[in-house]
Amino acid sequence: MPAPANETPDLANERVDHRFKGLPPDAEGLTVGALSAQRRNLFTGGYTTPVLALSAESVEHNLRLLETYAERHGLAFAPHGKTSMAPQLFERQLAHGAWGITAAVPHQVRVYRAHGIDRIFLANEVVDPAALRWLAAELDADPAFRLVCYVDSVRGVELMDEALRAADAGRPVDVVVELAAGATGRTGARTGAECAAVADAVAAAPALRLVGVAGYEGTMPGADAERVREWLHRLLGLAADFDRAGRFDPAIGEIVVSAGGSEWFDTVAEVFAEVPDLSLPVLKLLRSGAYVSHDDGHYRTRTPFNRVPEEGALQPAFRLWSQVVSRPTADQAFTNAGKRDAAHDLHLPEAQVVRDARTGEVRPAEGITVTGLSDQHAWLRTEPGADLEVGDWVGMGLSHPCTSFDKWQLIPLVEADGTVVDHVRTFF
């Protein structure tokens, strides 16, 4: 699928102003493209702290790694766009082989469509009549637009069908029945009988068309490889049962089977390699999203590549730079980045390096630990001998990409020597 043709110029022509924290004050009024073309240095080019940076080299490495992984295992992939909500990264993911982009809510679908995304997997049941009216109009206006959406309840199917028919939808919405990941998991029908009832409701709904089955293993309570593997086999069994029962119209062309967040895609690849022969070709769709930036916390410990190191390794791409603004005691310091700037829902930031304000030298942040966050301050504990003074820049690693991207509207993409080569726009 080609990358969106009209996305980059629009974002490059946006004006730099007070909306975008961390950017150089003297860049006010420049377009984002003009600022990027100047290739300023993050540390000496006027950027102000705090400022979140993405490693250009690590992003490219991660894009290539998952592309190769998916190809090796015969998987299609629709990375979850809610991670970054960054059309520039969507474009690169598509260029690196993505089938499409996954969304969680209708607003995200609107953002994707505004930036030319033609294939969207909506991993949620949508029962909002206003959103469904918009979706019906979007599908009718663009025959090339394909959307696949979850359904997990008979009532949800009824509401969707009612809203779409009221909107005079000209095209049925493709849906997949969501199988819950365990009896106490998140969304999804819990049993095979409940899934069959949802499929029956779809068959009776003129505005919907059944195209497959799906689910998300990441919220399974007590998930381990054995339990995830068992659930994935249930998912494949559900697809086979539906197929034997003639629930899939041959006109759909392919049966969609989808799972796979950022913690268990190795198990998904293993089980999806065992997809039984069905009456139609099977689109085996992986939806991992956090890989594009990876992290220095949650996913560093949970990435499947830890279990299969021979397949490669993701690289953390985020670094939050803040400046020491207070050093009141020998064992305490404060920087000017806090909860407004750093992900903190899973782990606190990790102090990694210090850039000396006097010399520009970058050294490991030895003896420096982030112990807490206020709204606009990071609390640092410093061990005896820790080399840190007011004015120094502290580079921090972050945990959980989804709550790192959403605090920044324009993120410098930075090469290893500090050169800013682009600015990534987010739309949360």
Side-chain angles (χ1 to χ4, degrees), residues 380-402:
L380 307 186
R381 183 181 68 244
T382 55
E383 303 297 335
D387 188 4
L388 191 68
E389 68 174 348
V390 170
D392 289 344
W393 290 40
V394 179
M396 302 176 184
L398 302 177
S399 178
H400 198 185
C402 301

Side-chain angles (χ1 to χ4, degrees), residues 34-105:
L35 176 58
S36 299
Q38 290 180 356
R39 297 178 63 86
R40 297 193 188 195
N41 186 278
L42 184 71
F43 308 106
T44 62
Y47 289 84
T48 63
T49 57
V51 60
L52 182 65
L54 273 171
S55 163
E57 293 88 353
S58 294
V59 168
E60 179 62 22
H61 169 86
N62 295 342
L63 289 167
R64 290 185 181 276
L65 181 61
L66 199 70
E67 177 184 23
T68 301
Y69 184 89
E71 289 177 349
R72 184 182 300 127
H73 292 279
L75 300 170
F77 68 107
H80 211 315
K82 56 96 175 170
T83 299
S84 70
M85 288 305 293
Q88 289 149 285
L89 296 181
F90 300 164
E91 180 181 0
R92 293 181 64 181
Q93 288 171 313
L94 293 168
H96 281 279
W99 171 91
I101 305 294
T102 294
V105 292

Side-chain angles (χ1 to χ4, degrees), residues 113 197 235 252 285:
R113 290 297 294 157
L235 187 68
I252 67 177
L285 194 62

Side-chain angles (χ1 to χ4, degrees), residues 231-249:
W231 174 78
L232 288 164
H233 280 295
R234 283 186 62 205
L235 187 68
L236 295 188
L238 184 65
D241 289 347
F242 281 5
D243 194 44
R244 281 193 296 270
R247 294 187 183 278
F248 298 123
D249 186 331

Side-chain angles (χ1 to χ4, degrees), residues 360-379:
E361 174 194 7
V362 177
R363 58 180 179 271
E366 294 178 353
I368 302 172
T369 305
V370 180
T371 60
L373 295 175
S374 299
D375 284 352
Q376 297 294 173
H377 291 89
W379 296 56

Side-chain angles (χ1 to χ4, degrees), residues 65-388:
L65 181 61
L66 199 70
E67 177 184 23
T68 301
Y69 184 89
E71 289 177 349
R72 184 182 300 127
H73 292 279
L75 300 170
F77 68 107
H80 211 315
K82 56 96 175 170
T83 299
S84 70
M85 288 305 293
Q88 289 149 285
L89 296 181
F90 300 164
E91 180 181 0
R92 293 181 64 181
Q93 288 171 313
L94 293 168
H96 281 279
W99 171 91
I101 305 294
T102 294
V105 292
H107 165 71
Q108 293 169 0
V109 177
R110 291 184 63 198
V111 173
Y112 300 2
R113 290 297 294 157
H115 293 275
I117 306 300
D118 287 333
R119 289 179 180 165
I120 299 172
F121 188 97
L122 180 49
N124 230 333
E125 186 170 75
V126 179
V127 295
D128 180 341
L132 289 164
R133 282 196 300 272
W134 173 84
L135 180 60
E138 194 74 7
L139 285 165
D140 288 348
D142 184 358
F145 173 34
R146 184 178 185 194
L147 179 128
V148 178
C149 180
Y150 273 3
V151 288
D152 83 341
S153 65
V154 171
R155 177 58 175 156
V157 168
E158 292 172 348
L159 289 169
M160 291 180 72
D161 183 59
E162 179 182 303
L164 291 166
R165 287 190 290 111
D168 293 324
R171 293 172 59 190
V173 172
D174 287 348
V175 297
V176 290
V177 173
E178 182 192 5
L179 174 67
T184 58
R186 195 170 63 186
T187 53
R190 266 44 180 173
T191 67
E194 290 173 342
C195 288
V198 174
D200 286 341
V202 172
L208 301 178
R209 182 173 74 159
L210 184 67
V211 299
V213 298
Y216 174 56
E217 72 290 343
T219 58
M220 178 187 293
D224 58 27
E226 182 178 352
R227 295 187 68 187
V228 171
R229 191 176 295 112
E230 178 184 2
W231 174 78
L232 288 164
H233 280 295
R234 283 186 62 205
L235 187 68
L236 295 188
L238 184 65
D241 289 347
F242 281 5
D243 194 44
R244 281 193 296 270
R247 294 187 183 278
F248 298 123
D249 186 331
I252 67 177
E254 63 185 4
I255 297 169
V256 178
V257 179
S258 180
S262 295
E263 296 185 34
W264 295 104
F265 57 73
D266 58 330
T267 308
V268 173
E270 172 192 334
V271 175
F272 276 15
E274 305 169 11
V275 170
D277 289 335
L278 301 180
S279 63
L280 294 168
V282 176
L283 180 72
K284 298 180 286 185
L285 194 62
L286 184 69
R287 305 194 308 274
S288 311
Y291 79 98
V292 69
S293 65
H294 198 43
D295 74 0
D296 280 296
H298 182 79
Y299 289 107
R300 179 176 61 191
T301 61
R302 294 172 180 260
T303 175
F305 287 115
N306 291 339
R307 297 186 289 270
V308 287
E310 68 278 6
E311 299 262 20
L314 293 168
Q315 297 176 0
F318 277 127
R319 182 161 281 172
L320 176 64
W321 289 96
S322 62
Q323 205 163 11
V324 179
V325 294
S326 180
R327 186 81 158 96
T329 68
D331 61 358
Q332 195 173 42
F334 295 87
T335 76
N336 60 350
K339 293 178 181 178
R340 308 294 187 190
D341 314 299
H344 55 90
D345 56 318
L346 297 179
H347 303 94
L348 289 171
E350 176 184 278
Q352 295 179 327
V353 295
V354 175
R355 187 178 190 276
D356 193 289
R358 299 179 187 273
T359 67
E361 174 194 7
V362 177
R363 58 180 179 271
E366 294 178 353
I368 302 172
T369 305
V370 180
T371 60
L373 295 175
S374 299
D375 284 352
Q376 297 294 173
H377 291 89
W379 296 56
L380 307 186
R381 183 181 68 244
T382 55
E383 303 297 335
D387 188 4
L388 191 68

